[in-house]
Amino acid sequence: MDLRQIEYIVAIEQEQSISKAAEKLYLTQSALNQQLLRLEKELGTPLFERRKHSMIPTLAGRIYLATARRMVDMKRETYKIISDITEENAGEISIAYTPEQGSLMFSCIYPYFREKYPNITFSIREARVKKMEQMILQKEVTMASLTYFGNQKNPFLEYVDMGEELMVLGLPVSHPLAHLAGDDSFRTFPEIDLRLLRDDSFTLISRETRMRDMIDRAFEEAGFRPGILFESVSTRTVVNMVRQQICPAFFPQSYVESEAPIAYFSVRPRQTWMRCMAYLKGCYLTKPEKYYIELATRYVQGCL
């Protein structure tokens, strides 16, 4: 077996597309397709069912890929361990984070990281939490900046807790109930009965987010379905709707600003989630990867 060829086939499976896999591997689509055809000829059977918009592994393909993924993983882990023990301090960290808070965190901690490990590069993917969990499981990234609440942990992942964060309800200061927040609500987050907002319409974060699960639970506990102006994948957009005095909205505590024209509350049940770094159980973390997690934890805890 040609290990490089094996890596090509694994990439096709991950991307479910010749063109996307070729782009990821910095190959031409024609060159990658020739590699696949050559292997299929050698094996005497197709490895993928070629559909209009995707490449689906055949039974033979699934059997081949089960071994191929293990070989690719063994190579990756071996190289990481050798790099660590020889202290070459070179290589790549593959990481995923959210497009807003995650990217802000990375930009803040990267200068500290680069000072210690100038020869380490990053392969970065941006996604929402639920998608990032799948990316770790499929080994598209080594680790990701995630959140979880309660005991809703994936049993196949290892979690490094970085800091707890409250789910906040923001009301425009022009709202008739905003006065109930009192002074310094950005620190105290007084509790409000969500049922008082039964007649309001809300801007809500998208259903593909972990926060939306928590929001839906709050409305379920309050016993009503909210009016919805619109849903957005951008938490920043949701917060800006409150800032512009348009409607109430829920968002994470990390978006709270003391000077914003927003009255901040908590609701019953008071819900928090844990910000964390997650990686696959049994995965070997290099010293640079551990240092990145250390920096991320210090950032979340306000110690950086």
Side-chain angles (χ1 to χ4, degrees):
M1 286 186 173
D2 182 344
L3 190 53
R4 184 174 59 179
Q5 189 179 58
I6 290 172
E7 291 172 332
Y8 292 167
I9 304 307
V10 171
I12 294 173
E13 180 205 21
Q14 289 176 340
E15 301 298 326
Q16 297 185 343
S17 162
I18 289 280
S19 59
K20 290 180 181 178
E23 183 178 351
K24 178 180 179 180
L25 295 165
Y26 301 102
L27 296 172
T28 65
Q29 184 173 338
S30 174
L32 183 56
N33 190 54
Q34 287 301 314
Q35 289 283 347
L36 174 59
L37 292 173
R38 187 177 300 117
L39 178 59
E40 289 179 326
K41 183 178 180 180
E42 176 186 328
L43 296 172
T45 185
L47 295 179
F48 291 92
E49 180 183 342
R50 292 155 172 81
R51 297 184 183 175
K52 186 175 181 180
H53 297 295
S54 61
M55 301 281 286
I56 308 299
T58 62
L59 175 58
R62 293 196 297 273
I63 293 171
Y64 181 92
L65 283 160
T67 300
R69 285 192 295 269
R70 288 197 297 270
M71 294 179 69
V72 170
D73 290 344
M74 288 172 63
K75 175 190 174 183
R76 183 185 300 117
E77 292 291 289
T78 301
Y79 277 41
K80 286 173 67 175
I81 294 169
I82 291 174
S83 176
D84 229 19
I85 64 177
T86 57
E87 297 190 353
E88 289 186 356
N89 295 335
E92 180 181 85
I93 295 177
S94 59
I95 187 171
Y97 51 63
T98 57
E100 295 173 350
Q101 291 296 80
S103 59
L104 176 61
M105 179 176 72
F106 180 83
S107 65
C108 289
I109 69 178
Y110 178 72
Y112 296 93
F113 182 90
R114 187 174 183 274
E115 185 176 345
K116 187 170 183 178
Y117 294 108
N119 297 320
I120 297 289
T121 60
F122 283 84
S123 173
I124 295 171
R125 302 282 295 276
E126 292 188 345
R128 296 297 170 185
V129 169
K130 295 178 181 179
K131 172 63 176 176
M132 285 192 286
E133 287 183 349
Q134 293 303 311
M135 292 166 70
I136 299 174
L137 294 172
Q138 294 168 7
K139 300 177 181 176
E140 297 177 37
V141 297
T142 300
M143 56 188 183
S145 177
L146 304 179
T147 56
Y148 70 87
F149 64 94
N151 59 357
Q152 296 190 351
K153 292 183 179 181
N154 189 302
F156 298 103
L157 300 184
E158 198 73 52
Y159 296 82
V160 179
D161 293 346
M162 299 191 296
E164 196 172 34
E165 185 173 29
L166 178 69
M167 181 181 79
V168 173
L169 171 65
L171 294 189
V173 291
S174 58
H175 192 282
L177 299 178
H179 70 280
L180 297 177
D183 298 329
D184 297 335
S185 65
F186 65 93
R187 290 196 187 99
T188 59
F189 305 107
E191 187 177 289
I192 189 172
D193 187 342
L194 189 55
R195 292 174 295 181
L196 296 174
L197 301 174
R198 184 184 297 271
D199 296 328
D200 282 80
S201 292
F202 293 75
T203 297
L204 298 180
I205 195 68
S206 166
R207 295 182 186 276
E208 66 188 61
T209 64
R210 180 76 22 95
M211 176 63 70
R212 181 57 182 271
D213 295 340
M214 298 168 66
I215 294 169
D216 289 345
R217 180 187 173 202
F219 284 118
E220 184 179 342
E221 290 283 337
F224 71 95
R225 297 179 65 180
I228 302 176
L229 287 180
F230 68 88
E231 299 175 332
S232 175
V233 297
S234 168
T235 305
R236 183 59 62 191
T237 297
V238 170
V239 174
N240 283 339
M241 292 293 286
V242 188
R243 183 192 295 273
Q244 295 300 320
Q245 310 301 295
I246 297 173
C247 64
F250 286 95
F251 44 85
Q253 184 179 345
S254 53
Y255 285 83
V256 168
E257 298 178 15
S258 60
E259 301 301 320
I262 297 175
Y264 299 105
F265 295 89
S266 60
V267 298
R268 186 177 299 173
R270 188 180 177 93
Q271 297 188 76
T272 61
W273 65 10
M274 181 63 69
R275 295 178 67 177
C276 65
M277 294 295 295
Y279 56 92
L280 200 62
K281 279 188 175 177
C283 173
Y284 180 86
L285 293 183
T286 62
K287 292 175 185 176
E289 287 168 339
K290 291 177 180 177
Y291 183 60
Y292 181 89
I293 293 175
E294 177 190 332
L295 289 175
T297 302
R298 288 163 55 190
Y299 170 86
V300 170
Q301 296 176 355
C303 301
L304 196 61

